[in-house]
Amino acid sequence: MAASNGEKSLIVSFGEMLIDFVPTVSGVSLAEAPGFIKAPGGAPANVAIAISRLGGRAAFVGKLGDDEFGHMLAGILKQNGVSAEGINFDTGARTALAFVTLKSDGEREFMFYRNPSADMLLRPDELNLDLIRSAKVFHYGSISLIVEPCRSAHLKAMEVAKEAGALLSYDPNLRLPLWPSKEEAQKQILSIWDKAEVIKVSDEELMFLTGSDKVDDETALSLWHSNLKLLLVTLGDKGCRYYTKSFHGSVDPFHVNAVDTTGAGDSYVGALLCKIVDDRAVLEDEARLREVLRYANACGAITTTKKGAIPALPTESEVQSLLKGN
C-alpha cells in the first residue's frame, strides 16, 4: 500500500503497552511514596504516539487485558491518532502494570506486575497480518522476546513485515528485572540483532550487550552487521552517535531542564522514523542525516522537561521552536 495524495506511509510499532504508576513525589522509594499517578506507557506504544503527534501515521500491534486499564490504553492510542486495528484483548490476563520510582536526578527504578500480563500472551495466529504487511517501517523492542507465545508472535510479525518490504527498526529497551538472567537477556536481545536495518541503543545498553566498560566507536562498531543501515547510540544529555556503512559521527544535545527522562528515547526513535519512512535516502546522506538526528535530539530533550512519557511527547511546533531557539 503506497502512500498517495500526500498521505504519509504507515509505521507499525509492535510490543507492550502498560500503565506506569508514578509516585506523586519525586526522589522517594516506592514504600515512602504517599500516592501514585497513572501514567500510560510501554516503549513501542510511546513510539507510535510520538510519531502520530509529529504528524506521522502510526499503528500499534499488541495485546491488552480485557479490563478497564486495557480499554483505557486502547482509548489513549485512538485519542492520539494511532490505529488500534492491531490490538487484541485477553479475557484471562490483566494489562501489565509497573510501579516506578523517580530518583531525584530524574532517572528511574521499576517494579513490574506481569504474571503473566496480557501482552505476554499474544499468539502468532492473533496478528493482524494485513496491517503488518502495509507497514513501511516495522518497529519493535526486546521485552516481547522474553516469553512464549509472545516471542513467536514477535518473530512472525518481523518476518511478515520484512517479506512485505518494510524497514525493520529495533530499540532493545533493556529492562533487566523482566529477564530470567543477564545472560539470557544478552543472548535473546542479540538473537534477532542481524535482522534489523536501524538499531538504537543507549550508552548503558551498548556496554551491557558488548560487555565493554567503554562507550567508544570501537565498542559500537563491534555490534555492526551487514544488514544494518544505521546504528545509533544515545548518550543521554550528551547527544548521540551515528554509524552507517560509509560514515559516522556525533550530534550535540540540546540543554534543557530535565525533570523526568521517561519516554525520551521513544520520542527520539519516533522522530527519526517519521523522517525516514518516506525518505530512506537520508540514511546515505550524512548532512541530511545529521539534520534528522538534531531533530530527534530535540524531540528527546523536550520529552524530559515534563513528567510522564505520553503527555511529554512533543508536537512539531514545539520541536521547531526549540530548533529555532538554538
Side-chain angles (χ1 to χ4, degrees), residues 158-203:
M158 261 170 59
E159 183 190 335
V160 167
K162 182 72 185 156
E163 276 169 11
L167 181 84
L168 298 188
S169 162
Y170 185 20
D171 175 359
N173 226 312
L174 177 68
R175 294 281 178 269
L176 212 46
L178 295 180
W179 291 90
S181 68
K182 277 186 176 178
E183 295 70 31
E184 184 70 2
Q186 192 181 38
K187 181 182 148 196
Q188 296 303 348
I189 288 171
L190 293 173
S191 71
I192 58 167
W193 200 257
D194 60 354
K195 301 269 197 288
E197 294 154 283
V198 173
I199 293 177
K200 174 242 153 194
V201 288
S202 68
D203 41 9

Side-chain angles (χ1 to χ4, degrees), residues 14 27 51 58 69 75 116 132 139 141 189 207 222 259 271 295 299:
F14 174 92
I51 289 161
F69 285 155
I132 292 166
H139 175 74
I189 288 171
M207 292 192 288
S222 72
V259 295
Y295 179 88
C299 288

Side-chain angles (χ1 to χ4, degrees), residues 28-43:
V28 297
S29 69
L30 289 178
E32 293 160 348
F36 296 89
I37 292 167
K38 296 195 305 265

